[in-house]
Amino acid sequence: MIKIDFKWDHKVEKKLFIFFRKIAFSIFNNKKIDTGYSNLMKIFVDYSVSFEKKFKKIKNTDVKKHMEIAIKQIKEIKEWQNNLNNYVKENKEKNDLKDKLRNNAKFRARNMLGNYYKDFLKEIVADESEFFEWNTMGDERVRPTHEARDGVIYNWDNAEIIPGEEPGCRCWATVYFLDTKEEIENINQNS
């Protein structure tokens, strides 16, 4: 049995936050910037490919699949950018607008990374594995419903939700790659 932790990556979340903050403040300051969607694509794809390398040989990595998942997120980001543009136009005179934009960029970074993480788990990892263990950050911000899942082993097909699926979720999966029928039976008995 191979057991791999796909822990939450705070460095990637910070890169996304910087990206979203840059967009938000360019809209606020009414400045045109190079949005850099190709850089964003690289951040997402590098993130998930590095995870996939933990359980697959590099030559078997389907980068196109990772790019499809990233494109889905980038479409959502473009929609957020349009909505943000309209919001800023309507609320330009508010004193706390900069703080709201910064907070929104922070939440957006966490949420987009969670969405991407969830899609990566569902569309790439679940094809290679049957089970995962739910893990939380273990801090005061963990939702009670997620805290109750901490340490529980789930089958990908039967899990109601998976880490990263709910807005702002920072939970992560330990994925089990089982080799024998006995290992599968042992996991089934414990889940």
Side-chain angles (χ1 to χ4, degrees):
M1 166 177 31
I2 299 172
K3 197 170 137 177
I4 300 175
D5 289 330
F6 291 103
K7 291 187 177 179
W8 187 260
D9 193 328
H10 295 281
K11 290 178 185 176
V12 173
E13 182 181 351
K14 185 169 183 162
K15 286 179 186 178
L16 293 175
F17 168 65
I18 291 167
F19 177 86
F20 290 121
R21 186 180 62 195
K22 181 179 169 185
I23 290 174
F25 285 109
S26 70
I27 291 170
F28 178 79
N29 294 319
N30 203 22
K31 291 183 179 178
K32 295 279 185 197
I33 62 164
D34 176 21
T35 308
Y37 288 116
S38 60
N39 290 336
L40 186 61
M41 174 79 84
K42 183 173 176 12
I43 290 169
F44 280 128
V45 172
D46 286 352
Y47 171 69
S48 58
V49 166
S50 71
F51 275 152
E52 188 173 359
K53 285 180 186 178
K54 290 181 176 186
F55 68 92
K56 273 188 173 177
K57 292 189 185 327
I58 186 67
K59 63 183 177 182
N60 295 332
T61 300
D62 183 359
V63 176
K64 185 178 177 186
K65 186 71 171 171
H66 292 266
M67 290 177 70
E68 289 171 4
I69 298 170
I71 289 168
K72 186 170 136 182
Q73 293 306 311
I74 289 171
K75 285 179 182 177
E76 287 186 35
I77 291 165
K78 287 179 179 181
E79 185 179 319
W80 165 78
Q81 191 174 2
N82 288 334
N83 291 339
L84 188 65
N85 197 22
N86 293 333
Y87 180 81
V88 169
K89 283 179 186 176
E90 293 170 9
N91 295 283
K92 188 78 171 173
E93 302 305 317
K94 288 190 175 177
N95 291 335
D96 62 347
L97 185 57
K98 277 189 173 183
D99 289 336
K100 285 185 178 182
L101 293 175
R102 187 177 296 105
N103 289 338
N104 184 270
K106 187 173 185 175
F107 177 77
R108 182 62 45 190
R110 180 167 296 143
N111 204 42
M112 287 290 108
L113 184 57
N115 287 342
Y116 187 79
Y117 180 77
K118 173 240 342 160
D119 289 346
F120 164 71
L121 290 174
K122 281 184 171 180
E123 297 179 30
I124 295 176
V125 175
D127 286 345
E128 303 284 333
S129 161
E130 242 184 285
F131 300 95
F132 71 94
E133 181 179 336
W134 190 290
N135 299 281
T136 70
M137 288 293 175
D139 59 22
E140 69 282 347
R141 295 185 306 172
V142 174
R143 293 174 179 96
T145 55
H146 291 200
E147 191 172 345
R149 295 172 181 275
D150 194 34
V152 177
I153 297 172
Y154 294 93
N155 180 296
W156 291 108
D157 296 331
N158 299 330
E160 290 176 32
I161 61 171
I162 64 170
E165 192 162 2
E166 292 185 330
C169 178
R170 302 167 297 136
C171 296
W172 50 278
T174 299
V175 180
Y176 293 85
F177 298 92
L178 306 173
D179 296 320
T180 66
K181 189 173 183 164
E182 290 81 27
E183 290 174 337
I184 294 170
E185 288 171 0
N186 286 340
I187 293 286
N188 278 328
Q189 288 173 357
N190 293 327
S191 62

